[in-house]
C-alpha cells in the first residue's frame, strides 16, 4: 500500500497541528519540520500560515500545517476562524487535511483533553500527542497513556519536542497510522458547543484525569517561586521597568556598531554603483533613489532584530503574559487590554511589527485602537531627526546630578509619545465608546519555560525576511517616486542654489508653505518633508540637500539649521515629529491589517491634525516667551 | 428545595471580591446581562474554556499592582488572569 503510494508519486499526507495557546505546539512543529517551513498568509485574512515538510523514519512524506492556537473550535477571532475552517474543510488554502494531531501540554491536560473530545467529532482521523512529557515526569506527574487512550477512544502518544529521542514514539505511531491507510473524511458530528456542552466536555476531561493521571502532593513549583517576586505588587513593576530599560539599552546602544557597519556597506554599494554606472539620470535613479532610499531603512534591521530577540525570548519564557497582567490597569485607563502592551512595546523599534503583533488582541475594536495609536510610540526612525534637531537647538549643558539637558529632552520626547498614544486611546474611548464596557481580560499565565534557541532563531529569521521583503517592495517604490519628485524638472541653466529648489518637491513645498507657515515652517522645511514622507529619517537627508550641505556630517547641518531657523521653528519641527504620520510603509501596513483604506485615512488625518495643533501651540508658546 | 438553593447563594463569595490568599470552590457561573461587553452565554462559555466549572477549586494567588486588579487565579492546574469585573461572574464558597 505504502510502496504503491510512493511509486505513483501520490501526494504527501497532510497533517493539521492543533492545540491551545502555550501547549508547546510550535516547538513540536519545529522539531518535526526543522527549518523546512514556509510562512505566508492565508488569503483574505492577516493570519500567518505555516506549513512545514517532514519525512517519517518509514519514508512517509508529510506536510504539516501549524494552525493558530485555539481553545475550541468556536472561532472567536480571525485566527481561530482559520483553524476551524481548515479543519472543517471549508477553507482549502492549506490543502485537504488527512490527519489531525492535537497537542496537549502534559502538565496541563485539562484544556487539551476537552479540545481533543471536541475534535473527535469532526470525522477526520485524530492523533493525541501529550507533549512535554519530560517536564510532567520530572514533576512526578504520572500519566497512564493506555488508560487515557481507552477513555478518549483515540490513539495517544507522548512526546518531548525539545529532545530527539522524545520524538520516537510519535514517528513510530505516524508510520503505523499512515502505513495502514488513513480513512477518508467521515461524517461530521461537530456543531458549535453550548455552555452546557462545554461543561460536559470539561467534566469528562476531569474524570479522565482522575482516572489516568496520578499527581503528587502539591509543592511549590519553580514557576510559583519566580512569580512570588515577578508578580509582586511592588517588585513586579520594578522588574518590568528594569527589563524594558535593558531592552532599550540593547536596542539603541548595542545595535549601533552593527548599524554603522550596515550604513557603511550601503555607502559602499552606492559608491560602487556610482563608479559602474555612467553619470546622469540612471546613476541618480539607482544611487540617490533606490540605494539611498532602501538603504536608509535597511540600517534599522539590527535594531529590529535585537528588539524581536527580546520579545521572542520573553514570550517563550512566559513573561509577556505577566507583563500584560502588570500593565493591565494602566492600559485599562486608556480603555485597552493588558495585551495591547506587547504591540506598543514593539512599536518603539518600528510601528510596522508593532501593528502586526496587534493580532494577539481578540477584541476587534481594541485591536483597531491599538493599531491606530501604535505609530505615536517613538520609533527608531525618529531618532536621527531628534538627534539632529536637539543638537541644533538644545544647549549641551548639564542640569546637575550628571543629567544632560539634551538627554533629558530626548527622554521627554519618548514620554510625550507614550502619553500622546494613551491620551488618544482615552479620547477615542470617550468620544466613540463611552458607554461600552471593557472587553473581558482572560489571560492564561503559562508556566515558565526555557526558550529554545532554535525557535528564537527561526522566529528572528522569519521576521527579518518579512522586513527585508517590505523594504524591497513598498519602500523601494516610494523611494523611486520621491526621487522623481525631487529630481524633475531640472534646474534651468545657470540657476543658483541646489537643483532640488526647482523640482516638483520644491513646488509642493511652496504649495504647502502657506499652510505650514503658521507653525513656523520655512519653505525649505516643507521641501524636506516631501521626501520625508517615505520614512522619517529621510527628512534629514532632505534637509541637507535643501541647504546644500556637502559632507561634514550632521554637525555641519545642525550648525546651518541653528543659523537659519529661530528656536521656535526648531521646537515646532521637533513637536511635529512626535505626531506626524511621516511613514508611508506604516500607513500601508495599517491599511493591510485593518483590511480597509478608511482606517488608514483616519490614522493619517488624526495624526496630521495633532501634529499641526501641537506644533502651532509649541511655536507660539516659544515665540511668546521670546524664543 | 428552592430555599436551600437561595441559602447556598447567600453564603457565596464572588471571586471578583476575593482578596489575595482566598481559597474556595466554584458554586456557579452567573454572568449578568449588561455587566460585560459579551452576552452572558458567551461569557459563561469563555469562563468554562478557561477551566472554571462548578466544583473546581480556585485560589487567588496574585493581585495586580494598581488597585489590586486584575487577579491571577489558580484553577485546575493552570493560572488565569482575570479582571475583577469579569471575575464577579464566578460565585464561590
Amino acid at each position: 500500500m505504502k510502496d504503491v503510494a510512493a511509486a505513483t508519486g501520490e501526494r504527501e499526507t497532510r497533517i493539521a497541528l492543533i492545540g491551545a495557546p502555550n501547549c508547546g505546539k510550535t516547538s513540536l512543529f519545529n522539531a518535526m519540520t526543522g527549518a523546512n517551513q514556509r510562512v505566508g498568509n492565508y488569503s483574505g485574512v492577516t493570519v500567518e500560515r505555516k506549513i512545514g515538510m517532514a519525512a517519517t523514519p518509514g519514508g512517509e512524506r508529510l506536510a504539516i500545517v501549524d494552525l493558530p492556537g485555539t481553545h475550541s473550535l468556536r472561532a472567536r477571532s480571525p485566527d481561530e476562524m482559520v483553524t476551524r475552517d481548515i479543519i472543517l474543510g471549508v477553507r482549502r488554502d492549506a490543502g485537504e487535511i488527512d490527519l489531525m494531531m492535537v497537542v496537549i501540554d502534559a502538565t496541563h491536560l485539562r484544556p487539551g483533553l476537552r479540545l481533543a473530545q471536541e475534535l473527535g467529532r469532526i470525522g477526520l482521523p485524530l492523533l493525541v500527542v501529550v507533549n512535554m512529557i519530560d517536564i510532567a515526569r520530572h514533576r512526578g506527574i504520572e500519566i497512564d497513556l493506555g488508560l487515557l487512550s481507552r477513555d478518549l477512544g483515540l490513539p495517544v502518544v507522548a512526546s518531548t519536542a525539545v529532545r530527539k529521542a522524545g520524538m520516537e514514539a510519535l514517528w513510530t505511531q505516524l508510520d503505523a497510522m499512515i502505513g495502514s491507510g488513513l480513512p477518508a473524511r467521515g461524517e461530521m458530528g461537530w456543531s458549535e458547543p453550548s455552555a452546557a456542552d462545554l461543561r460536559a466536555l470539561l467534566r469528562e476531561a476531569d474524570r479522565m484525569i482522575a482516572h489516568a493521571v496520578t499527581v503528587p502532593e502539591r509543592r511549590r513549583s519553580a514557576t510559583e517561586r519566580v512569580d512570588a517576586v515577578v508578580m509582586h505588587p511592588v517588585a513586579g513593576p520594578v522588574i518590568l521597568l528594569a527589563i524594558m530599560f535593558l531592552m532599550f539599552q540593547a536596542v539603541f546602544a548595542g545595535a549601533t556598531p552593527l548599524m554603522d557597519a550596515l550604513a557603511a556597506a550601503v555607502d559602499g554599494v552606492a559608491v560602487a554603483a556610482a563608479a559602474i554606472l555612467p553619470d546622469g539620470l540612471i546613476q541618480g535613479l539607482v544611487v540617490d533613489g533606490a540605494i539611498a532610499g532602501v538603504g536608509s531603512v535597511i540600517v534599522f534591521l539590527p535594531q529590529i532584530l535585537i528588539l524581536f530577540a527580546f520579545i521572542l525570548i520573553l514570550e517563550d519564557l512566559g513573561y509577556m503574559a505577566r507583563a500584560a497582567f502588570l500593565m493591565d490597569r494602566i492600559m485599562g485607563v486608556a480603555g485597552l487590554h493588558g495585551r495591547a502592551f506587547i504591540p506598543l512595546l514593539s512599536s518603539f523599534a518600528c510601528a510596522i511589527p508593532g501593528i502586526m503583533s496587534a493580532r494577539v488582541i481578540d477584541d476587534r475594536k481594541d485591536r483597531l485602537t491599538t493599531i491606530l495609536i501604535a505609530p505615536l510610540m517613538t520609533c527608531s526612525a525618529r531618532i536621527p531627526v531628534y538627534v539632529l534637531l536637539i543638537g541644533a537647538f538644545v544647549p549641551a549643558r548639564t542640569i546637575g546630578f550628571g543629567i544632560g539637558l539634551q538627554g533629558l529632552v530626548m527622554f521627554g520626547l519618548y514620554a510625550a509619545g507614550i502619553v500622546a498614544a494613551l491620551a488618544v486611546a482615552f479620547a477615542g474611548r470617550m468620544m466613540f465608546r463611552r458607554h461600552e464596557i471593557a472587553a473581558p481580560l482572560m489571560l492564561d499565565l503559562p508556566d515558565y519555560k526555557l526558550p529554545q534557541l532554535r525557535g528564537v532563531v527561526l522566529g528572528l529569521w522569519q521576521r527579518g525576511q518579512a522586513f527585508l521583503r517590505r523594504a524591497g517592495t513598498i519602500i523601494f517604490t516610494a523611494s523611486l517616486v520621491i526621487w522623481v519628485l525631487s529630481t524633475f524638472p531640472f534646474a534651468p541653466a545657470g540657476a543658483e542654489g541646489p537643483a532640488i529648489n526647482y523640482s516638483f518637491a520644491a513646488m509642493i513645498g511652496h504649495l504647502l508653505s502657506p499652510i505650514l507657515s503658521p507653525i513656523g515652517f520655512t519653505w525649505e522645511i516643507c521641501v524636506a518633508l516631501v521626501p520625508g514622507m517615505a520614512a522619517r529619517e529621510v527628512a534629514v537627508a532632505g534637509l541637507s540637500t535643501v541647504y546644500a550641505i556637502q559632507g561634514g556630517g550632521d554637525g555641519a547641518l545642525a550648525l546651518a539649521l541653528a543659523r537659519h531657523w529661530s528656536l521656535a521653528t526648531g521646537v515646532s519641527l521637533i513637536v511635529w515629529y512626535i505626531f506626524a504620520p511621516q511613514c508611508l510603509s506604516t500607513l500601508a501596513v495599517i491599511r493591510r491589517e485593518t483590511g480597509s483604506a478608511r482606517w488608514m485615512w483616519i490614522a493619517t488625518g488624526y495624526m496630521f491634525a495633532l501634529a499641526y495643533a501641537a506644533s502651532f501651540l509649541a511655536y507660539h508658546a516659544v515665540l511668546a516667551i521670546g524664543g | 428545595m428552592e430555599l436551600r438553593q437561595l441559602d447556598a447563594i447567600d453564603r457565596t463569595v464572588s471571586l471578583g471580591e476575593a482578596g489575595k490568599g482566598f481559597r474556595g470552590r466554584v458554586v456557579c457561573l452567573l454572568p449578568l446581562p449588561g455587566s460585560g461587553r459579551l452576552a452572558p452565554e458567551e461569557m459563561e462559555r469563555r469562563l468554562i474554556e478557561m477551566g472554571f466549572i462548578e466544583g473546581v477549586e480556585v485560589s487567588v494567588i496574585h493581585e495586580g499592582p494598581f488597585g489590586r486588579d486584575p487577579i491571577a487565579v489558580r484553577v485546575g492546574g493552570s493560572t488565569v488572569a482575570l479582571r475583577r469585573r469579569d471575575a464577579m461572574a464566578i460565585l464561590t464558597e
Side-chain angles (χ1 to χ4, degrees), chain A residues 72 74 76 108 110 192-193 195 199 203 233 328-330 336 363 433 436-438 440-441 443-445, chain B residues 34 37-38 41-45 48-49 51 53-54 62 65-66 69-71 77 79-81 83 85-86:
Chain A
S72 77
R74 294 197 302 111
R76 308 169 320 198
H108 294 299
R110 229 170 152 233
E192 187 169 319
R199 213 178 239 115
R203 280 212 192 294
D328 183 64
R329 192 60 190 262
I330 293 179
L336 291 172
D363 186 79
R433 310 169 60 186
E436 250 175 57
I437 307 164
L441 172 84
L443 195 61
D444 193 38
L445 302 177
Chain B
R37 189 182 298 174
L38 301 176
E41 155 85 4
E42 177 58 23
M43 186 69 187
E44 190 179 350
R45 287 197 276 186
I48 297 170
E49 279 169 2
I53 189 175
E54 288 77 1
H62 301 290
F66 311 103
D69 195 20
I71 51 174
T79 309
V80 178
R83 284 187 180 153
R85 169 197 275 283
D86 304 321

Side-chain angles (χ1 to χ4, degrees), chain A residues 167-517:
Chain A
M167 299 289 290
E168 266 166 26
L170 174 59
W171 289 124
T172 314
Q173 178 72 29
L174 280 175
D175 266 332
M177 285 177 83
I178 299 168
S180 62
L182 290 169
R185 189 184 274 274
E187 198 168 317
M188 224 266 296
W190 181 84
S191 59
E192 187 169 319
S194 67
D197 297 335
L198 286 173
R199 213 178 239 115
L201 293 177
L202 191 58
R203 280 212 192 294
E204 185 59 20
D206 278 337
R207 204 189 56 74
M208 287 177 201
I209 292 170
H211 191 203
V213 183
T214 345
V215 185
E217 196 67 17
R218 261 185 63 75
R219 59 196 155 98
R220 242 159 96 87
S221 67
T223 294
E224 282 168 68
R225 280 195 299 272
V226 174
D227 270 347
V229 181
V230 168
M231 301 279 277
H232 187 273
V234 180
V238 172
I239 291 172
L240 178 61
L241 271 179
I243 290 176
M244 280 172 62
F245 180 77
L246 196 76
M247 194 165 104
F248 285 122
Q249 275 299 310
V251 166
F252 296 127
T256 312
L258 285 170
M259 291 178 74
D260 289 347
L262 262 181
V266 170
D267 284 350
V269 172
V271 169
I276 297 167
L277 296 167
D279 275 357
L281 267 186
I282 299 290
Q283 189 194 36
L285 177 71
V286 173
V287 176
D288 301 332
I291 298 178
V294 173
S296 68
V297 180
I298 284 182
V299 292
F300 290 102
L301 186 64
Q303 284 194 336
I304 288 177
L305 289 184
I306 291 179
L307 186 93
F308 268 121
F310 266 90
I311 289 175
L312 284 169
I313 289 170
L314 290 176
E315 188 93 63
D316 274 13
L317 258 177
Y319 184 76
M320 275 307 188
R322 269 85 183 172
F325 175 89
L326 293 169
M327 292 301 291
D328 183 64
R329 192 60 190 262
I330 293 179
M331 308 300 287
V333 173
L336 291 172
H337 248 194
R339 276 184 209 253
F341 179 67
I342 301 163
L344 294 183
L345 193 65
S346 310
S347 300
F348 278 115
C350 175
I352 293 164
I355 288 167
M356 280 160 54
S357 57
R359 292 172 187 174
V360 297
I361 302 168
D362 46 18
D363 186 79
R364 214 188 87 80
K365 289 179 185 164
D366 284 355
R367 179 170 167 227
L368 206 55
T369 312
T370 311
I371 288 175
L372 290 181
I373 63 169
L376 287 176
M377 307 306 266
T378 306
C379 67
S380 51
R382 285 179 176 93
I383 297 170
V385 183
Y386 283 169
V387 167
L388 172 70
L389 294 177
I390 288 176
F393 294 100
V394 178
R397 59 160 196 257
T398 61
I399 52 162
F401 308 109
I403 301 170
L405 188 58
Q406 293 187 332
L408 195 68
V409 171
M410 192 71 162
F411 178 79
L413 292 173
Y414 268 87
I418 300 169
V419 170
L422 292 181
V424 167
F426 180 75
R429 183 173 151 77
M430 283 297 125
M431 279 190 279
F432 306 113
R433 310 169 60 186
R434 192 172 199 137
H435 301 292
E436 250 175 57
I437 307 164
L441 172 84
M442 286 181 199
L443 195 61
D444 193 38
L445 302 177
D447 284 353
Y448 289 107
K449 276 195 291 285
L450 271 185
Q452 293 300 309
L453 182 66
R454 179 164 52 180
V456 172
V457 169
L458 248 148
L460 278 182
W461 169 246
Q462 286 161 357
R463 280 171 175 79
Q465 261 188 329
F467 176 78
L468 290 180
R469 204 175 307 131
R470 206 163 32 239
T473 52
I474 301 175
I475 296 172
F476 178 76
T477 316
S479 307
L480 293 189
V481 169
I482 280 154
W483 177 81
V484 168
L485 285 181
S486 45
T487 305
F488 297 103
F490 296 127
E496 282 184 18
I500 192 176
N501 289 1
Y502 300 90
S503 65
F504 289 122
M507 295 176 201
I508 297 172
H510 281 295
L511 214 64
L512 287 176
S513 181
I515 307 169
L516 294 177
S517 63

Side-chain angles (χ1 to χ4, degrees), chain A residues 2 5 13 54-62 174-175 178-179:
Chain A
K2 193 179 76 194
T13 306
T56 65
E60 301 288 352
R61 286 181 306 132
L62 309 177
L174 280 175
D175 266 332
I178 299 168

